[in-house]
Each structure stands twice: as structure tokens, then as C-alpha cells.
Amino acid sequence: MKELLNKIVSQALDAVSQCADSKSLADVRVRFLGKNGEMTAVMKGMGKLSPEERPQMGKLVNEAREKIENALAEKDKKIKKAELCAKLSAEAVDVTLPSKPTRELGSVHPLTRIKNEIIDIFKGFGFSVAEGPEIETDYFNFQLMNVPKDHPARDMQDTFYIDENILLRTHTSPMQARIMTTQKPPIRVVVPGKVYRSDDDASHSPIFNQIEGLAVDKKITLGDLQGVLTAFAEKIFSKDTKTRFRPSYFPFTEPSVEMDVTCSICGGKGCRVCKDTGWVEILGAGVVNPHVLDMCGLDSNEYSGFAFGFGVERIAMLKYGVPNIKMFYENDVRFLKQFNKEA
Ligand code: DAH
């Protein structure tokens, strides 16, 4: 019987060692330890032994059983580990693969992009950035800008009044007064923001975006204004852009100018956009009217300044050759997508 046990054990260990998966291991378990298994048959045969032999044989049977159990458990561990490894490598994800383009990415609106570009240029010149209220008082929008009530210069800006003293700002210029009444020079600031006018055609919209600029210090001259704005034009359009300054009139500047740049569409040769002149007007500017400085509490004998203001849409239309201002507001993706390429 002892030999029989040894034989069963060695057969069992042999069978276990040949197993390569959980299924065959389970079969081996049934074959040796199951209800009708070989070990069970031996145990059943113990009934025939004499009472003296029984304990000794019982011990041997238990030892044999244990050996088989141990071998099964050890092999089971190995198989489980191998199966897990195989599963992990089969299901492995390569995180370095580029993802599938399932969703289209949005992009910055062309007006926002131009606005940011303009602000960055002036930041590079040492200007800070400020923003102000779109609902403004008549006092800041007009009076402190040297446009008294009933002054004919009010006709330059068709205004949405809320009541007699409150209105939607017609320009960003009132921020000049808000800054000068609260800050001491040196002042160098640009003010982006929405402005409102009762005005509507291919190049005008009732809401549009302006950028105001103001520099106040000792000994600021028209030459400083020309230098800064020419450098700006070269950066926003191209290095070979030329500028020219024509006399103009704004109540808040004296002298006042309008700045033209060589047409960025035809390079100054003449085209539909520049009406064959080679030049396009882009902004109003001037030396801050001493009366405005005084009204804002800055001594015009001590300080001088320059100011300018322009429309963001106008710059964008010229830079990109956009024929109608409304295209910026319709948000037709076919239009907007054309600006993506430059991202
Ligand atoms: N505020 C003027 C407008 O909206 C533009 C302007 C002209 C602003 C001359 C200025 C300036 O600061 O000096 O038409």
C-alpha cells in the first residue's frame, strides 16, 4: 500500500507539473483528490486494514494527500500569475499613441486675438491695461472730454442715452478722465472695451470694440505720439508699414491728428480697400488738450500727454481683408475657421 501511495503521489506531481492552465489543474485535482479520485480510493481501502496498521497508514495517506495539495496550490499560484501577466499584456494601452480626433477644438475669436495682440504690443512699450464701465455718465463720456452739453461736437458720436445723464459709452476715452482723476503721472495705459453708437452699415456696428491709449508725463510731445504709434503700426501690420499724420479735430486733444497707414492689402499700390489711394485711416489721436488735464486735476503747466483711440474691428478688417464688419459677429464657423491656421 505504501508503494501504491508513492506511485500515486509521483503520478500526481508529474501531472501537476505538466499543467499549463487553470482548467487542466482542476482536472488533475479531481483525478487524484476528487470524490472518485485515486487517493479517495486508497482511503476507502483502509477499512480493510487491521486496527494496528490503520493509524500508521492513515498518517502516510495524509502525508501523501498533503504533498499533492501543496503541489496543486503552488502550481495554482504560478498559473494565476502567468494568466494575469498574459491578460495585462493583452489589454495593455499604449498611452503614447496620439488620441483619435473625435471632437473639433474651438479657437480664440479673431477679434479677441487681435485685441490681445494689440495689448501685448503696448505692454511691450511699457503701457499697463485698464478697463472701465460700459454704462457711463454724460460727465465722464463728454464733459470731462471737453464736450459740454449741447456742444456741436456731440454730433460726432450718435449716442444711446439711458436718461439725460447716463448713456452707453460712445468711446473708451472717458477712461482717460477716470484714470487722470485718480492717478498721478507718469501714466501709460491702454484701455480695451466695448463702445456703443447708433450707427449701422458695412463698416459700422452699434456695438464695437475700441482701444484707448493715454500717456501723461512731463515734456510729452506730438513726436512721442508719432514714434509710439508708428512702432505700433509696424508691429501689428508689418515692418515696412509707413504712417502719416493728418491734422484733424477732437475736442479732447490739441493738436489733433488722424493716422493713416500704407494699405496692408495692396502694400500701398492702390486697391479696393484703400480706394486706390494706398493709404487707410486707422485712428484718431493728439496731444491731450490742456483744458482736459486741468479739469481732471493735473496741472497743464507741469504735465502734458498724448492720447489715441481706434477700433479693433477696423484693424482686424484691414489685417485680414474682411469686407464687412458684421462677419465678426455672425460666428459662422466657416469664417472663424480661417483664422485657426494662424494659431
Ligand atoms: N474717442 C475717439 C472716437 O471714438 C477716438 C480718439 C481720438 C481717441 C483722439 C483719442 C484721441 O484718445 O486722442 O472717435
Side-chain angles (χ1 to χ4, degrees), residues 157 170-171 173 176 197 210 212-213 250 252-253 284-286 307-309:
Q157 299 181 357
T170 56
H171 51 180
S173 303
Q176 289 189 32
R197 288 192 203 174
Q210 277 194 336
E212 191 77 16
F250 298 102
F252 27 93
T253 43
F308 57 87

